[in-house]
Amino acid sequence: MEYQTIIVEEKNAVGYLTFNRPKQLNSFNETMHQEVSKVIKTWAKDSQIRTVVISAEGRGFCAGQDLNDRVVDPNAEAPDLGLSIEKYYNPLIKLITEMPKPVICAVNGVAAGAGANIALACDIVIAAKSASFIQAFCRLGLVPDSGGTWFLPRLVGRAQAMGLAMLGDKIPAERAVQLGMIWQVVEDEQLQAEAKKLAEHLAQQPTYGLSLIKKAIHAAADNNLDQQLILERDLQRLAGRSSDYKEGVQAFMQKRTPEYKGC
Amino acid sequence: MTYIKTSSPKPGVVLIELNRPEKRNALNNATLQDIAACLQNLETDAAVKAVVITGNTQCFAAGADLNELAQLDVVSIQQDQRPLLWKKIDEFSKPLIMAVNGYALGAGFELALHGDMIVTGENAQFALPEIALGMLPGAGGTQRLARLVGQQLTMRWAMTGEMISAQSALQQGISSQVCPPALTVQYALELAGKIAKQAPLAIRAIKQSLKSIHEVTLSQGLKLERQHFVWLAATQDRQEGINAFLEKRKPEFRGV
């Protein structure tokens, strides 16, 4: 399958999705939205793919919306910016957060606007030392979209979230780790290798169990403790029925390394 | 029974599974007949205390059978046996719990609304899509739903056919519990099991008392409730219930 805006590779149970519009700093246009969502939808259902890595070509990660698609004629009627959010960005964020397997984001350069929030929607975010995050929306009179206003306060707390969203400063990767926005920073030349290592490790883990963890942690953001305790009970019931759990217990008893199948 | 499977996974509890997966459990006349006939048998079986109806993990029931519907003209629709079948389901006097995973659309939603309680999976989706076919819900959809959630939402849902998620069904009081789809039937059976251990005559009185709320005024309803209350005083199970409580033991109800 040939794609115009992304590179897709499947290897060792890992799906690599690489944004490939480096000249436009990998900003999203319609084609890119369609291609990305198609690939992620396929992988969500493909039991052969047990971890997904999202990364990008060139010096930037993703600059969000391609503003060439949004030139505003001062005399024309106001554009409906909600349209592309409803049609593309929101479904994309839900695809990532509801994907029943780990999604790693390897941020190779600047992640701005929706590009930053797509990264934050992923489960484990690692960034190159030279990468940065910018909630650029406020500079244009806009609101952080693609989940930005939801992820930020949950990741870094309200005070930092307000600062990030209202000032739109460029946050270097190391500061992002300190704030708890992302998981890890690595040397630039190490980024792809680290992402691959992490992904290949996760792809051998009990995928179904990981998907339940992901579900529980996402639900925790909205649940009170009672609700969450009930959810944990339910998910543990389900996890207890999985063949990976059986394998895990057996391997422990037999003092060997478990071989997980992901179900 | 061609289109349903029945089993008894717990003492006193019967599970009816709609079994027409290739048609997404569309409720054709034969399926409805199977359900009605099955319930009629269970009605007189004293060993049966509660019933759970479910579909499969993807689909509860995706509606009526459109091929059958398309053949009906105004005359044959007047002689249709379906209203009679729905009535039989409605008249079942024992607790009826609906375990809904996936789609419960049109007649499927209406079947679910015939239940005394609904337990759903997170993947449950309800809707009344009849409007898209130039029809209206014809098995109590507009009536039962409006009594549950009121005019605003019922108008909206019946006039647009919008999907109703499991979460909003819970919020609006259409269901009493949401759980992971793989646990829906288990939890519905546990609920049925709890009910099956109670005094059957009191359970029956509760169901009758509650089912009359939309038929009678409050003062009439209170009178009926009082009558049930007085009548239960003549039952041995009531004595057993009170004795067991005072003697700090578990009651053994015998339905007498």
Side-chain angles (χ1 to χ4, degrees), chain A residues 4 19 23 40-41 44 78 89 95 141 144 160 178-179 190 196 207 228 230:
Chain A
Q4 292 173 38
F19 300 153
K23 279 182 203 146
I40 294 184
K41 271 183 198 160
Y89 288 98
L95 279 176
Q160 294 291 334
Q178 286 162 8
L179 285 172
Q190 292 295 316
K196 179 165 174 275
T207 310
Q228 192 68 10
I230 287 170

Side-chain angles (χ1 to χ4, degrees), chain A residues 215 231 233-234 237-238 241, chain B residues 122 179-180 182-183 186-187:
Chain A
K215 197 171 182 179
L231 178 69
R233 175 203 64 190
D234 286 347
R237 270 206 169 107
L238 297 175
R241 295 176 185 178
Chain B
E122 289 155 353
C179 53
L183 298 175
Q186 182 186 331
Y187 285 3

Side-chain angles (χ1 to χ4, degrees), chain A:
Chain A
M1 178 82 212
E2 277 302 302
Y3 295 100
Q4 292 173 38
T5 62
I6 54 175
I7 303 167
V8 173
E9 192 194 1
E10 298 178 4
K11 204 176 173 191
N12 298 331
V14 179
Y16 295 91
L17 192 164
T18 308
F19 300 153
N20 189 25
R21 301 180 74 225
K23 279 182 203 146
Q24 293 82 18
L25 288 175
N26 302 307
S27 58
F28 272 83
N29 58 15
E30 286 208 13
T31 314
M32 185 153 146
H33 271 298
Q34 282 155 0
E35 293 184 347
V36 168
S37 86
K38 189 175 166 197
V39 171
I40 294 184
K41 271 183 198 160
T42 315
W43 283 344
K45 287 191 185 141
D46 184 351
S47 60
Q48 302 298 310
I49 297 293
R50 288 168 58 187
T51 296
V52 169
V53 175
I54 297 178
S55 187
E57 281 291 304
R59 62 190 175 88
F61 170 72
C62 175
Q65 173 66 33
D66 189 337
L67 292 178
N68 289 324
D69 287 5
R70 282 196 183 161
V71 183
V72 183
D73 173 354
N75 299 318
E77 220 179 300
D80 180 4
L81 298 187
L83 214 58
S84 69
I85 291 178
E86 191 172 303
K87 195 168 172 195
Y88 293 122
Y89 288 98
N90 287 357
L92 174 60
I93 297 301
K94 293 198 82 158
L95 279 176
I96 294 172
T97 52
E98 286 168 12
M99 174 94 98
K101 49 196 88 182
V103 182
I104 297 170
C105 189
V107 182
N108 52 306
V110 62
N117 295 335
I118 287 165
L120 298 183
C122 298
D123 302 321
I124 295 186
V125 185
I126 65 175
K129 215 171 212 167
S130 66
S132 56
F133 297 83
I134 313 171
Q135 296 293 330
F137 305 91
C138 58
R139 300 178 177 191
L140 294 170
L142 299 182
V143 181
D145 59 24
S146 304
T149 60
W150 195 90
F151 295 121
L152 283 174
R154 283 166 174 80
L155 288 167
V156 302
R158 189 170 73 177
Q160 294 291 334
M162 281 290 185
L164 292 170
M166 287 192 159
L167 299 173
D169 287 345
K170 186 171 184 167
I171 305 299
E174 277 180 340
R175 173 107 179 98
V177 171
Q178 286 162 8
L179 285 172
M181 237 164 85
I182 65 171
W183 173 243
Q184 192 188 9
V185 179
V186 297
E187 295 297 332
D188 286 12
E189 57 276 15
Q190 292 295 316
L191 180 70
Q192 297 308 329
E194 279 297 325
K196 179 165 174 275
K197 201 169 105 188
L198 197 56
E200 291 191 345
H201 163 76
L202 284 173
Q204 299 309 312
Q205 295 303 301
T207 310
Y208 178 61
L210 297 182
S211 78
L212 298 181
I213 292 176
K214 178 166 173 173
K215 197 171 182 179
I217 289 185
H218 272 292
D222 293 324
N223 278 350
N224 60 34
L225 178 60
D226 282 354
Q227 292 167 325
Q228 192 68 10
L229 289 172
I230 287 170
L231 178 69
E232 286 177 1
R233 175 203 64 190
D234 286 347
L235 297 183
Q236 206 70 300
R237 270 206 169 107
L238 297 175
R241 295 176 185 178
S242 68
S243 56
D244 278 347
Y245 171 63
K246 238 185 243 170
E247 164 66 8
V249 173
Q250 271 172 4
F252 179 78
M253 305 291 272
Q254 296 163 5
K255 297 183 173 140
R256 61 175 173 80
T257 314
E259 272 183 43
Y260 294 121
K261 303 235 156 25
C263 53

